Amino acid sequence: MHINCPVIFMGLLRIMMPPKFQLLAVLAFGVAVLLIENQIRKLEESREKLERTIARHEVREVEQRQTHDVVKDWPALAESDDQVIIYNRVPKTASTSFTNIAYDLCGKNRFHVLHINTTKNNPVMSLQDQVRFVKNVTTWKEMKPGFYHGHVAYLDFSKFGVRGKPIYVNVVRDPIERLVSYYYFLRFGDDYRPGLRRRKQGDKKTFDECVSSGGSDCAPEKLWLQIPFFCGHYSECWNVGSRWALEQAKYNLVNEYLLVGVTEELEDFIMMLEAALPRFFRGATELYRTGKKSHLRKTSEKKPPTKESITKLQQSDIWKMENEFYEFALEQFQFVRAHGVREKDGELYVLAQNFFYEKIYPKVN
């Protein structure tokens, strides 16, 4: 039989107390109920905290047992030491600045850095070279963990039937800014290797003069580079103005790259890589902010283009497509950053882990 305690209590009040005291008794009873409910809520919160603590402890025990089993039964590389990163760097996107970070950190963080030097800087490998490269990256244990970088188009490792795919990262830049930087780089070089003779050395024509005269080095077709680098080793990727190539480049950026940053926000890109891949990039953010090499490479004699030159290039369909890809990459990067970092007192900081495991079964003995 169900007994309604509050009803009985109120009945007793009417029998045992004068009316003038009944209101005070009801208020006191209500306060007591609220205090009891508050205590129950605190007990529930304490129970949830205890469950989370127990869950974390169980996870650590499982991880320790698995690590012990791996070391005992599989004398191979640890998972983090088996990683390979490929940075198929697009020319004139601050790629040398970023690569210098890897070179500065490789000794301290104990990984290898390898430059992919292709003949005449051809970004498209022959089929036989693709096979050789894939085999090298996946089986060259002495070079693991490894950071490969070079001006090479994206290569889909899944086509070659290998186990384990590398981690792809990259950086993109505003298309016109990238072309202007490359134009002056071919003529005047940079302060990274100032004594090196460049292909167009001696040509003093400015970028604006090139655009106004319809020169080939500043033609809209020269903008077509970031899309094919992300599109890859398909013939259609290198057909200037291909809508299919643009869509394939977008697909690869979202599905095949861990992170794609932008030149204009390079420090944020490095900060996020350090948070995601500390095995390689621990200390990268501080090094970028304070180091000398990371800021070394600057194109010499570069003059910003006039509005007239920019407007003329922006009239082309090629610029519209390359800019669409850049804006797409920028949006993806800002989305990832918004969910990974916060700003406080004008400084960005990486968010701590925001998930945990619980209700793990079967229970650890």
Side-chain angles (χ1 to χ4, degrees), residues 278-304:
R279 176 66 182 83
F280 289 83
F281 297 107
R282 184 178 291 106
T285 307
E286 183 65 22
L287 181 61
Y288 179 80
R289 291 170 176 170
T290 61
K292 295 179 180 179
K293 290 184 180 179
S294 59
H295 301 91
L296 181 59
R297 191 163 197 173
K298 294 180 181 179
T299 302
S300 302
E301 304 292 334
K302 185 171 67 175
K303 298 177 177 63

Side-chain angles (χ1 to χ4, degrees), residues 176-287:
I176 293 179
E177 285 291 323
R178 193 206 63 79
L179 179 58
V180 172
S181 181
Y182 190 62
Y183 178 89
Y184 285 106
F185 172 74
L186 292 180
R187 286 154 178 78
F188 302 102
D190 54 31
D191 54 5
Y192 184 65
R193 290 182 291 180
L196 185 64
R197 182 176 179 82
R198 302 296 173 178
R199 181 155 33 110
K200 296 285 184 175
Q201 187 170 330
D203 181 3
K204 304 295 185 181
K205 185 184 298 183
T206 67
F207 185 82
D208 290 325
E209 291 170 344
C210 176
V211 172
S212 62
S213 63
S216 60
D217 286 346
C218 56
E221 289 76 14
K222 294 295 184 180
L223 292 166
W224 189 260
L225 192 66
Q226 297 186 132
I227 288 174
F229 257 73
F230 279 81
C231 181
H233 279 70
Y234 304 104
S235 62
E236 187 64 18
C237 297
W238 300 89
N239 287 339
V240 178
S242 167
R243 172 59 59 174
W244 182 91
L246 170 59
E247 296 305 321
Q248 185 64 34
K250 288 181 179 179
Y251 176 88
N252 288 342
L253 185 149
V254 171
N255 293 281
E256 304 297 341
Y257 284 78
L258 175 69
L259 185 65
V260 176
V262 293
T263 303
E264 295 79 5
E265 299 172 15
L266 189 62
E267 182 177 327
D268 295 357
F269 170 71
I270 292 171
M271 178 188 298
M272 293 166 66
L273 276 181
E274 180 175 357
L277 298 171
R279 176 66 182 83
F280 289 83
F281 297 107
R282 184 178 291 106
T285 307
E286 183 65 22
L287 181 61

Side-chain angles (χ1 to χ4, degrees), residues 19 25 38 44 61 104 115 123 135 147 158 163 175 223 258 273 283 291 340 350 358 360 364:
N38 185 53
E44 286 290 327
E61 286 190 342
D104 288 346
H115 178 218
K135 183 179 180 180
F147 179 93
S158 63
R163 293 181 59 187
L223 292 166
L258 175 69
L273 276 181
V350 177
E358 62 180 359
I360 301 172
V364 178

